[in-house]
Amino acid sequence: MQSLDGLDPSTVKKVHAAARVAAARGMPVCEASNGSGYLVDIAKGPLGLINREYWDPARLNEHAFNLMNGLRLNVFHVAGTAYAMPSDVDTYGDMEARASHNDHNGSPDAAMRHAILSLCEMLDGDHAI
């Protein structure tokens, strides 16, 4: 069972923002009653491939991937940096989040997850995505 325990406060804040953005988009994410993570409502569909009780896109690639697809984000890597941006440039312009692989122990996967969560934090006030 995954929880948000062990994550730094900044990352926990990003996961909470991602959950709010995902929920506003109709993705089945809700806050767990114990406050340690996010439960996934598998019965409602879009995240049905997740087979864990807690939603943790900060540490689990498949959760970040489902978030990326559900929000229709563009995510790519260039020269050791992961980038995440909304697909809808007409609405969001050149909004982007980036994370260096080096800042995440050389892990492209960890940098990608962080870039996705950072973008969600930027979008948290604008649920129109």
Side-chain angles (χ1 to χ4, degrees):
M1 183 181 306
Q2 283 294 118
S3 77
L4 299 181
D5 297 339
L7 293 177
D8 63 87
S10 172
T11 302
V12 171
K13 183 179 172 191
K14 290 177 192 313
V15 171
H16 284 242
R20 285 189 296 272
V21 170
R25 180 65 175 90
M27 296 174 72
V29 179
C30 63
E31 190 168 355
S33 59
N34 65 7
S36 64
Y38 284 90
L39 293 172
V40 175
D41 184 356
I42 293 173
K44 291 187 181 169
L47 298 178
L49 295 176
I50 294 175
N51 60 4
R52 290 177 173 80
E53 186 174 357
Y54 283 94
W55 184 65
D56 188 358
R59 290 181 286 217
L60 299 172
N61 287 342
E62 68 263 29
H63 294 193
F65 179 79
N66 285 327
L67 182 60
M68 176 189 75
N69 283 334
L71 298 178
R72 296 182 196 99
L73 304 179
N74 292 325
V75 178
F76 55 92
H77 299 263
V78 175
T81 301
Y83 293 84
M85 57 190 63
S87 296
D88 184 358
V89 294
D90 291 337
T91 302
Y92 297 100
D94 59 357
M95 180 186 289
E96 72 176 26
R98 63 179 84 175
S100 169
H101 298 178
N102 291 337
D103 291 341
H104 297 278
N105 298 318
S107 171
D109 289 343
M112 179 232 18
R113 293 188 307 266
H114 185 80
I116 291 169
L117 292 176
S118 294
L119 182 63
C120 287
E121 187 175 42
M122 294 167 67
L123 295 168
D124 187 26
D126 185 354
H127 301 306
I129 191 168

